[in-house]
Amino acid sequence: MDELARSFEEQRDHLRGVAYRMLGSRSEAEDAVQEAWLRLSRSDVSEVANLAGWLTTVVSRVCLDMLRSRKSRREDSLDTFVPDPVSLKADTRAPEDEAVQADAVGLALLVVLETLAPAERLAFVLHDMFGLSFDEVAEVVGKSPAAARQLASRARRRVQGAPAHDGDPSRQRAIVDAWLAASRGGDFEGLLVLLDPDVVLRADAGDGESGAAVSKVVRGALAVVEQALMFSRLAPHTELALINGVPGAVTVVDGRVQGVMAFTITDGKITELNILADPDRLAELTVER
């Protein structure tokens, strides 16, 4: 059992990464990984040649079950749901020193993944993000390799139809920095010039029971600027941060995270703003400095 536990710990980060991309939730990803350990501890794997593959299959099946069970629960709030960030880091490095993590996954991508059917999401994550073959994906979803390929293809079209993110972290940081400066100064025109005319702001304040904020979706540059100016009082407490390895902003008041803002920047304009303002989920987050 000790050897099994050591082998599992070697795979924990990988399994957590798979589960997080499947679920978009830190706590649910941890639950899925823990369930995989419980199943491993109850199984005879003496004949398993590839334990890492076996564990990936197990955690993927657990995630698939979780996605299917929560689908109806989230239908009403899907438009405003913003996934949890898995990492928040103070953005203290000079632009020339930074290389965005190779496995960075922005919240905007996770928002798109939330719109997929469970099997489509699983096929896309396992094949396109982790490089599993369609034979392996088919084993998890219980379909033929051809059907697994179709699932991934449908998911890929949805993902590719979403706004594309500029890949230059220095450029992303400069635009986020300009947004924060304009917010602090209440500069209406300064904010407006940074936005795509069809920008979408998505704010997830949770169920509303823990705070006064209300979840909402706001569309259009003028409407988004008006919303931003309404919360300009928080601008002095908002700073640049790396959100899942991508430049964004975080609001910290008295040492507690009060908001996380993820930007999608396309051709030098902000096309999407995803704000997590759910007090219950924010209470679990800290900024690494």
Side-chain angles (χ1 to χ4, degrees):
M1 184 60 71
D2 288 344
E3 180 61 31
L4 207 58
R6 280 193 293 271
S7 298
F8 181 82
E9 287 304 318
E10 291 173 358
Q11 299 298 321
R12 182 181 289 275
D13 286 346
H14 166 72
L15 298 174
R16 188 186 290 119
V18 171
Y20 174 67
R21 286 158 178 77
M22 295 271 201
L23 301 167
S25 164
R26 292 158 52 98
S27 60
E28 288 184 340
E30 291 292 350
D31 289 345
V33 172
Q34 184 61 24
E35 177 62 24
W37 161 248
L38 293 175
R39 295 190 185 188
L40 174 63
S41 65
R42 296 194 296 258
S43 302
D44 178 6
V45 292
S46 58
E47 301 299 321
V48 173
N50 180 3
L51 185 60
W54 188 91
L55 286 169
T56 298
T57 297
V58 169
V59 82
S60 297
R61 286 174 174 162
V62 171
C63 290
L64 185 59
D65 289 343
M66 293 172 75
L67 285 171
R68 286 169 171 163
S69 68
R70 82 181 187 192
K71 187 175 186 299
S72 59
R73 176 162 48 93
R74 279 203 180 153
E75 280 178 351
D76 292 340
S77 61
L78 187 59
D79 285 345
T80 59
F81 178 74
V82 175
D84 300 342
V86 74
S87 76
L88 296 177
K89 295 184 180 180
D91 192 7
T92 58
R93 290 175 288 179
E96 61 271 16
D97 294 335
E98 182 190 350
V100 173
Q101 299 172 12
D103 62 346
V105 52
L107 296 193
L109 173 58
L110 291 172
V111 167
V112 176
L113 295 184
E114 286 291 327
T115 68
L116 302 178
E120 291 175 349
R121 183 170 186 168
L122 182 141
F124 178 81
V125 168
L126 291 184
H127 180 266
D128 287 49
M129 302 182 82
F130 286 95
L132 271 67
S133 69
F134 286 118
D135 287 342
E136 293 170 303
V137 175
E139 183 180 350
V140 177
V141 297
K143 296 181 179 293
S144 69
R149 185 184 298 274
Q150 286 186 327
L151 289 170
S153 179
R154 286 202 297 268
R156 197 176 302 116
R157 286 195 295 272
R158 182 76 64 86
V159 170
Q160 291 172 346
H165 208 311
D166 285 350
D168 183 351
S170 298
R171 189 179 185 187
Q172 294 171 29
R173 179 192 279 101
I175 292 172
V176 175
D177 204 14
W179 173 270
L180 295 179
S183 298
R184 294 184 187 109
D187 182 356
F188 185 96
E189 292 297 330
L191 292 170
L192 192 62
V193 75
L194 295 169
L195 296 173
D196 182 88
D198 298 318
V199 63
V200 175
L201 181 150
R202 183 180 293 102
D204 182 351
D207 57 19
E209 296 179 0
S210 302
V214 177
S215 297
K216 64 181 70 177
V217 175
V218 178
R219 303 178 188 277
L222 286 174
V224 169
V225 170
E226 289 170 357
Q227 287 293 315
L229 292 176
M230 284 176 60
F231 295 97
S232 59
R233 60 185 174 77
L234 294 175
H237 304 284
T238 304
E239 61 188 71
L240 279 164
L242 293 177
I243 302 170
N244 287 9
V246 178
V250 61
T251 301
V252 180
V253 180
D254 296 329
R256 295 191 301 176
V257 177
Q258 300 292 309
V260 173
M261 182 181 293
F263 296 73
T264 300
I265 299 166
T266 308
D267 296 329
K269 297 288 186 180
I270 299 169
T271 54
E272 192 169 305
L273 284 164
N274 287 297
I275 301 173
L276 179 62
D278 182 344
D280 293 333
R281 287 192 284 152
L282 290 173
E284 302 177 2
L285 301 178
T286 56
V287 180
E288 182 182 335
R289 298 186 183 276

